[in-house]
């Protein structure tokens, strides 16, 4: 059994060709948009044969099972990554949109505490730093 099939089984999801294809298309391509994944899946041999709605359904299934993470930087389409459960954050270039992972320095979630929790039990904080990457600065 391949790695994707084992992950799906461990999370209680059916091991389908489409789910394995999406996990494979994300490998090595962190922060992919659905459109980028769709192009990769169409170019795969054999093609995954997923409609756009089918792709969004698979992405949502994988997100709910915590096999992928979805981030939504302001002004950017949703992006998907395989790196989950480790409390990392993101750097985003304002000019080219490049996104890089940044490890949390605290190591536990949430790594920030609000001044007033308003009665919420806080279990996560998402941090996005915005700036210019080295290529766009030069």
């Amino acid at each position: 059994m391949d790695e994707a099939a084992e992950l799906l089984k461990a999370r209680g999801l059916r091991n389908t060709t489409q789910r394995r294809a999406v996990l494979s298309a994300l490998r090595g391509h962190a922060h992919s948009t659905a459109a980028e994944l769709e192009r990769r899946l169409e170019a795969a041999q054999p093609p995954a044969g997923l409609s756009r709605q089918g792709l969004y359904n698979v992405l949502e299934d994988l997100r709910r099972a915590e096999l992928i993470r979805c981030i939504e930087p302001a002004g950017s389409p949703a992006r998907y990554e395989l790196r989950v459960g480790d409390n990392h954050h993101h750097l985003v270039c304002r000019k080219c949109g490049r996104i890089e992972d940044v490890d949390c320095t605290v190591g536990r979630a949430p790594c920030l505490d609000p001044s007033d929790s308003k009665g919420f039990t806080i279990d996560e904080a998402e941090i996005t730093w915005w700036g210019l990457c080295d290529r766009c600065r030069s």
Side-chain angles (χ1 to χ4, degrees):
M1 191 180 295
D2 71 4
E3 180 185 351
E6 289 176 17
L7 287 171
L8 291 165
K9 183 179 178 185
R11 295 297 180 150
L13 292 177
R14 282 188 21 245
N15 175 15
T16 66
T17 303
Q18 292 83 4
R19 288 175 177 159
R20 287 192 315 273
V22 171
L23 288 170
S24 179
L26 276 168
R27 229 175 259 123
H29 300 281
H31 315 119
S32 293
T33 65
E36 292 166 342
L37 287 167
E38 186 174 36
R39 284 191 296 276
R40 247 181 257 124
L41 291 166
E42 288 171 353
Q45 291 303 319
L50 264 173
S51 67
R52 180 165 292 181
Q53 185 58 51
L55 172 59
Y56 280 107
N57 291 344
V58 168
L59 288 168
E60 182 59 16
D61 290 344
L62 297 174
R63 188 199 61 76
R64 273 198 220 128
E66 298 179 351
L67 289 173
I68 65 172
R69 181 178 176 189
C70 177
I71 63 168
E72 299 183 52
S76 172
R79 302 197 172 251
Y80 301 90
E81 62 183 341
L82 291 170
R83 190 172 171 186
V84 295
D86 67 349
N87 197 39
H88 74 279
H89 309 294
H90 298 95
L91 294 164
V92 180
C93 179
R94 289 185 190 279
K95 188 171 182 182
C96 71
R98 178 175 144 201
I99 301 174
E100 292 291 336
D101 291 337
V102 178
D103 292 329
C104 177
T105 58
V106 175
R108 62 168 174 74
C111 56
L112 291 174
D113 295 312
S115 61
D116 183 353
S117 67
K118 309 281 185 186
F120 282 67
T121 299
I122 309 293
D123 62 11
E124 182 179 11
E126 289 187 14
I127 300 169
T128 303
W129 289 277
W130 294 86
L132 292 177
C133 70
D134 51 352
R135 288 181 290 211
C136 290
R137 252 192 352 264
S138 33

